[in-house]
Amino acid sequence: MWTDAEAYELYIGRWGRLAARKFVTWLAPPSNLKWLDVGCGTGALGEAILGTSPESVTAVDRSESYLQLADKMLAGTGVRFTIGDAQDLQFPDGAFDVVASASMLNFLADPSLAAKEMCRVTRPRGQVAAYIWDYAEGMQFLRAIWSVAFKLDPNAIRHDEGYRSPIRSVDDMEKLFAACGLDQIETRKIQIPTRFADFDAYWQPFLGAQGTVSSYVCRLDAQLRQELREGVRRTIPTASDGSISLTAQALAVRGRCP
């Protein structure tokens, strides 16, 4: 699923850039810190981190395609990109002042292992933070797909991150961080607007096979995909000019290493 970075950017990466800015503003970090961006994807969080005037930014992801696009988009900024696994970070203990991740933890086989690794490589009293998309309740532009898919396809629910993910609420995020021994834990919901010029602009990103909903849409046979498309088109709120204005919500958590 994670092979086409440009398709991902059109599908949801662009919205992650808006969420990342609000996320980093909430963290309110001082300048000149050493950052690690875990599961950096196409560089949304790294771009926001650069606005804090960091001492350094290291970004890790397991997808070479995504790293290549992130490196291209942040060329000349000094961000260091490297292939790596969030569940087995190849850095020494306490190597960073802030370790953060965006839109990643809920896609891992063992998110608790990744959270522990993030804590391990953070210095004492350093900050660990993360956000994920609120697939269960807060992603209106995705829920519009599922609300129709559930009526057409009895197997659709098996693909919905809002049902199958082990992390689906700010309470889940808080428990994840508490289990790692972090203190001063705080959570927040971050909402951003997602506006599309017309229905075609809304639908096209779901044909890139990147991300859960997009991959589901692309697995359907042509007839069922067309039925899904028309069902969503009929039900999605549309303005008089044809535009579609919805919202996306992220679930954020932060804490301090002991």
Side-chain angles (χ1 to χ4, degrees):
M1 168 162 51
W2 312 109
T3 56
D4 189 335
E6 292 189 2
Y8 173 85
E9 185 68 14
L10 182 62
Y11 163 63
I12 203 168
R14 53 181 166 157
W15 308 124
R17 296 182 186 280
L18 300 179
R21 292 172 203 157
K22 288 191 173 184
F23 175 63
V24 171
T25 297
W26 176 57
L27 298 183
S31 59
N32 299 314
L33 297 182
K34 296 179 180 179
W35 286 75
L36 176 64
D37 177 2
V38 182
C40 67
T42 56
L45 180 55
E47 181 179 333
I49 292 169
L50 289 170
T52 71
S53 300
E55 177 182 327
S56 64
V57 182
T58 301
V60 177
D61 200 279
R62 63 186 180 186
S63 170
E64 186 173 351
S65 170
Y66 282 44
L67 283 174
Q68 288 175 349
L69 181 57
D71 192 18
K72 179 181 177 181
M73 296 183 77
L74 298 180
T77 62
V79 177
R80 174 177 172 249
F81 294 98
T82 182
I83 289 281
D85 184 350
Q87 299 163 111
D88 185 22
L89 296 171
Q90 299 300 299
F91 303 103
D93 296 356
F96 300 94
D97 299 307
V98 186
V99 177
S101 79
S103 313
M104 182 271 296
L105 286 173
N106 53 324
F107 287 105
L108 299 177
D110 190 347
S112 64
L113 181 56
K116 289 174 183 176
E117 277 290 272
M118 290 171 66
C119 295
R120 179 185 64 78
V121 299
T122 306
R123 65 166 173 81
R125 307 315 302 160
Q127 187 166 216
V128 182
Y131 76 79
I132 63 170
W133 290 118
D134 183 6
Y135 289 106
E137 298 180 357
M139 303 295 283
Q140 289 184 348
F141 79 103
L142 301 183
R143 299 317 309 173
I145 297 284
W146 290 128
S147 65
V148 177
F150 292 162
K151 298 174 183 177
L152 298 174
D153 177 11
N155 294 316
I157 197 169
R158 296 189 308 162
H159 302 279
D160 180 8
E161 286 292 334
Y163 285 86
R164 66 189 182 94
S165 173
I167 311 174
R168 294 181 293 183
S169 68
V170 287
D171 288 342
D172 292 338
M173 297 286 277
E174 183 175 5
K175 290 175 183 176
L176 181 68
F177 270 34
C180 297
L182 295 172
D183 56 32
Q184 299 181 35
I185 298 174
E186 298 178 81
T187 61
R188 183 183 179 184
K189 294 180 179 180
I190 298 171
Q191 193 172 91
I192 62 164
T194 57
R195 185 183 185 280
F196 306 87
D198 53 33
F199 185 77
D200 285 341
Y202 167 83
W203 181 256
Q204 188 62 35
F206 292 108
L207 304 180
Q210 296 299 290
T212 307
V213 182
S214 179
S215 295
Y216 168 78
V217 170
C218 291
R219 289 190 191 104
L220 300 176
D221 62 55
Q223 180 178 343
L224 187 54
R225 188 183 306 120
Q226 182 64 20
E227 290 179 15
L228 176 62
R229 182 185 189 280
E230 290 308 305
V232 175
R233 185 184 60 77
R234 288 193 301 269
T235 57
I236 201 165
T238 304
S240 58
D241 64 356
S243 66
I244 298 169
S245 296
L246 301 170
T247 59
Q249 182 167 273
L251 309 175
V253 62
R254 64 185 181 189
R256 293 281 176 182
C257 284

